[in-house]
Amino acid sequence: MTFQVATAYHDAITRTSGVSFMQRHICFLVYSGFVLLDLSGPLEAFSNANRGRPSSYRFTIASLEGGLIDASSGLQVATEAIQAVERFDTLIVVGAPTAPIADRMPSLAAIIRQISANSRRTASVCTGAFLLAESGLLDGRVATTHWNYAPQLQARYPSLQVNGDRIWTEDGNVWTSAGMSAGIDMALAMIEQDLGKEVSRSVARMLVVYYQRPGGQYQFSSLLDFDPGSDRIRAVLTHARDHLHEDLSVDRLADIANMSVRQFGRVFTAAIGVTPSKAVERLRIESARPLVEDSNQTFEGIARRCGFGDADHMLRSFMRVVGRTPQELRRSSRQARVHGSMV
């Protein structure tokens, strides 16, 4: 980094008012088979905050036993043995490629429960939410995880409310995030809470990531290819995929499933992780997006073809789900093609 860039970065990050300074100790709890990005992504975000606001954060990477711990990629990370009596500002439990079912889960949950009692906030990335749920910290709370595991999290722990759409959630002093890069979004939100918006914005610029995807923005998931494992819900999704331009109200979908509206809504949400209306909206978005980005069809025509009714309705849906308008997506796609042809 040049002196000029470093100085500008430092100046931007230190122009923060109304946020008291203190060093915050963050502990990342890992275990065998964890996802490296679930650790390195948030860690880099907090570390970059230190580059402009020195000593804002210090870090411990911990595990139950200490020593070298294998990530899912095969790389090893040096860790300290975690102690139940330790006090941290923030405890972040990283995720694994699948929902944890290991026999060590109770031991991890117990240490999380003990340390969280002495921490200002506790968080998870991706399937780390299963460990928070096992510890009891998510009882009665709203939480999220990777969209693919949201139904499993809800089924295994019915006392919490899983929102499979969210990129991250904050419920009291407990935070949860979706998979992989969503951990960075959550870290940026924490940095904003700790050090102010300018610091978080500057870190996002340094990491070349969006500042910032709101927690309520939908995760990306391909419902067009999703198999819910239930014959009735599978039939509903198949019908919806093939009839996007038709009436896909909850009443209509419940009829296809041969269920009452109330029962259908409950069963569908448990299987898919989102409500029927949100699933239909996402299916329409996934169908419309390639046409928006790669065709010359009018937005009005695409909207009718994919069941939005009109272009205004489609625009509002794209903003909710994708965070960008159809116009922005088409413009970006065309610019990418132009630049690609110039390489």
Side-chain angles (χ1 to χ4, degrees):
M1 182 184 297
T2 66
F3 175 78
Q4 291 86 349
V5 173
T7 301
Y9 177 58
H10 179 274
D11 290 345
I13 235 172
T14 54
R15 285 197 301 271
T16 306
S17 59
V19 179
S20 60
F21 174 78
M22 61 176 290
Q23 188 177 63
R24 296 167 171 85
H25 190 181
I26 298 179
C27 175
F28 292 91
L29 180 60
V30 304
Y31 44 88
S32 181
F34 74 96
V35 172
L36 191 61
L37 184 57
D38 289 1
L39 165 67
S40 61
L43 177 59
E44 281 300 317
F46 289 115
S47 180
N48 268 269
N50 278 344
R51 295 172 67 184
R53 179 73 69 82
S55 301
S56 291
Y57 298 102
R58 66 187 181 99
F59 313 104
T60 293
I61 301 175
S63 63
L64 284 179
E65 63 273 31
L68 293 175
I69 300 296
D70 291 330
S72 60
S73 62
L75 294 176
Q76 294 184 319
V77 173
T79 68
E80 299 180 16
I82 197 163
Q83 303 293 325
V85 295
E86 291 188 83
R87 301 177 66 91
F88 300 103
D89 175 80
T90 303
L91 172 66
I92 300 179
V93 181
V94 304
T98 60
I101 55 174
D103 55 5
R104 305 187 65 198
M105 196 170 177
S107 299
L108 286 165
I111 199 75
I112 290 168
R113 184 165 53 249
Q114 292 170 309
I115 290 180
S116 294
N118 297 318
S119 300
R120 180 170 65 94
R121 68 189 169 203
T122 303
S124 65
V125 181
C126 196
T127 57
F130 283 80
L131 291 168
L132 295 195
E134 183 72 15
S135 74
L137 287 177
L138 296 182
D139 289 353
R141 297 183 188 271
V142 177
T144 194
T145 186
H146 189 286
W147 63 268
N148 194 45
Y149 300 107
Q152 187 176 344
L153 181 64
Q154 184 67 82
R156 193 184 296 186
Y157 302 100
S159 60
L160 60 94
Q161 180 184 338
V162 178
N163 190 328
D165 289 334
R166 299 290 297 254
I167 289 187
W168 55 265
T169 64
E170 176 189 3
D171 192 331
N173 66 337
V174 180
W175 299 55
T176 54
S177 74
M180 304 245 175
S181 62
I184 298 175
D185 295 287
M186 182 178 69
L188 289 171
M190 288 180 172
I191 292 168
E192 178 175 331
Q193 183 184 80
D194 296 343
L195 304 175
K197 184 173 293 187
E198 282 301 313
V199 177
S200 182
R201 191 185 302 274
S202 296
V203 170
R205 286 198 296 266
M206 291 301 295
L207 295 178
V208 198
V209 297
Y210 283 112
Y211 176 82
Q212 63 182 315
R213 291 190 296 174
Q217 185 175 315
Y218 288 168
Q219 299 180 44
F220 171 80
S221 63
S222 183
L223 288 182
L224 288 172
D225 300 321
F226 191 74
D227 184 351
S230 162
D231 289 342
R232 290 190 179 188
I233 303 305
R234 186 182 298 114
V236 168
L237 285 179
T238 298
H239 177 87
R241 293 174 187 131
D242 295 340
H243 301 84
L244 288 175
H245 61 288
E246 298 180 6
D247 171 31
L248 295 177
S249 64
V250 176
D251 289 346
R252 173 65 180 134
L253 297 179
D255 285 342
I256 294 169
N258 196 25
M259 296 179 180
S260 69
V261 172
R262 177 176 296 182
Q263 181 190 19
F264 170 69
R266 183 173 63 252
V267 171
F268 186 96
T269 302
I272 303 300
V274 297
T275 64
S277 60
K278 288 181 178 179
V280 168
E281 180 178 51
R282 192 179 298 180
L283 285 169
R284 286 172 169 155
I285 287 286
E286 291 187 38
S287 179
R289 185 165 182 171
L291 301 175
V292 165
E293 293 182 330
D294 301 324
S295 79
N296 292 319
Q297 296 183 38
T298 66
F299 294 141
E300 197 70 34
I302 296 172
R304 288 195 300 271
R305 175 175 175 176
C306 297
F308 292 105
D310 57 57
D312 287 340
H313 187 185
M314 184 173 75
L315 183 148
R316 290 192 295 270
S317 290
F318 266 77
M319 287 300 297
R320 276 193 301 270
V321 177
V322 184
R324 302 177 72 187
T325 67
Q327 291 85 346
E328 290 171 334
L329 289 171
R330 178 165 288 183
R331 184 162 54 248
S332 295
S333 179
R334 287 175 175 174
Q335 289 173 346
R337 288 196 296 271
V338 169
H339 290 315
S341 67
M342 295 172 61
V343 174

